[in-house]
Amino acid sequence: MIKIKKISILGLIAIFTVTFSGVSFALNSPVVVQDHGVITGMIISDNGLRLTGEYGLTSQLALIGTAGDPINRIGVKYEIDPNFAIVGGVTEDSPFIGINGSRKLHKDIVGLYEFDLSMRRDDLSLLYELGIKLNLDNNVDLRAGVIDFVEHSHFPSLEVGIGYKF
């Protein structure tokens, strides 16, 4: 019965994602594992596929990167504890800094968030991303959420994707 509920919820998220357009950095957790990484592919309507990668250089510091229109970024993530990290780097030719966090909601479900400040179009901009990650096994998970810039007055963009840990 629980699997049917999970599949139904993810199906609804996928339908909403196809309905709305948007941008995505991809939902990431704050956990860093030395010599391991995560690749995430997100489907965003009107923008196609967005790929995000992360690789742990130490047990607390990771390289992060995102490729795909309309926003690309490269930077670092510093894990303060398993539920909170600081991120920073360059996006759209301007620096960004932010926070990344998570909270376990169920045995296999984790809530994720990220808030980033950057200079976008010569204005200070706040990007927020909220979502969930459903662990399918030790290496594969499904991710879904919303993302938008605070200055927008429309409905946030929806995103859905899959993550692979290596």
Side-chain angles (χ1 to χ4, degrees):
M1 182 69 168
I2 292 176
K3 287 190 178 200
I4 293 173
K5 284 183 182 179
K6 288 180 184 178
I7 292 171
S8 297
I9 290 170
L10 292 172
L12 287 173
I13 291 170
I15 290 168
F16 280 116
T17 301
V18 172
T19 306
F20 299 97
S21 63
V23 301
S24 173
F25 284 148
L27 294 166
N28 290 311
S29 71
V31 175
V32 174
V33 179
Q34 185 174 355
D35 298 326
H36 292 276
V38 177
I39 296 176
T40 305
M42 302 295 279
I43 298 172
I44 295 82
S45 61
D46 294 341
N47 287 322
L49 179 66
R50 173 166 313 281
L51 294 175
T52 297
E54 172 183 315
Y55 187 77
L57 300 174
T58 70
S59 61
Q60 292 181 302
L61 184 66
L63 289 176
I64 58 174
T66 302
D69 283 334
I71 296 175
N72 296 303
R73 79 174 181 171
I74 189 162
V76 294
K77 175 168 63 173
Y78 182 77
E79 177 186 333
I80 295 182
D81 72 43
N83 296 314
F84 187 78
I86 296 173
V87 295
V90 178
T91 182
E92 291 184 351
D93 298 326
S94 65
F96 76 91
I97 189 163
I99 59 172
N100 176 237
S102 69
R103 180 177 174 133
K104 192 167 204 158
L105 303 173
H106 185 270
K107 183 177 99 176
D108 292 323
I109 301 174
V110 177
L112 304 169
Y113 65 88
E114 187 166 330
F115 297 94
D116 295 330
L117 279 174
S118 67
M119 291 299 292
R120 188 171 161 261
R121 299 184 188 124
D122 296 325
D123 290 324
L124 189 60
S125 183
L126 176 64
L127 173 85
Y128 67 92
E129 186 173 24
L130 306 167
I132 59 170
K133 177 175 79 166
L134 172 64
N135 294 323
L136 299 177
D137 67 24
N138 289 336
N139 294 336
V140 178
D141 58 68
L142 294 176
R143 301 166 190 231
V146 296
I147 186 170
D148 204 2
F149 290 96
V150 170
E151 68 264 14
H152 291 170
S153 61
H154 64 320
F155 188 77
S157 301
L158 299 173
E159 56 191 347
V160 67
I162 190 165
Y164 176 73
K165 298 175 201 165
F166 60 92

